[in-house]
Amino acid sequence: MKLSLEDRIKLMKAIEGNPIENQRQLAEVINLSLGKTNFVLRSLIKVGLVKFSNFRDSYNKFGYTYILTAEGISEKLRITSEFLQKKS
């Protein structure tokens, strides 16, 4: 499966803008299948653009969450710019 710029941008924007607790919720937000969301998310975690954290031991019991890393934020800006240039 090939990662499109648009799918990566959608996923990174959703993670940055919303407290996403699971992949099913994330798939609904970005309007992708659960399988494709899992594939894109795992690839971004693997290259260090997204971090998966477990906050179950914290006082707030927030659970699990996905967070953009500093590299992820700069990559999101870069690929958004690239995507917009292609669309122009």
Side-chain angles (χ1 to χ4, degrees), residues 53-71:
S53 295
N54 179 350
F55 291 102
R56 289 237 184 255
D57 297 330
S58 74
Y59 178 72
N60 293 330
K61 302 287 185 196
F62 188 71
Y64 298 96
T65 190
Y66 298 97
I67 303 166
L68 280 182
T69 63
E71 294 85 9

Side-chain angles (χ1 to χ4, degrees), residues 5 7 41:
L5 279 177
D7 291 341
L41 190 57

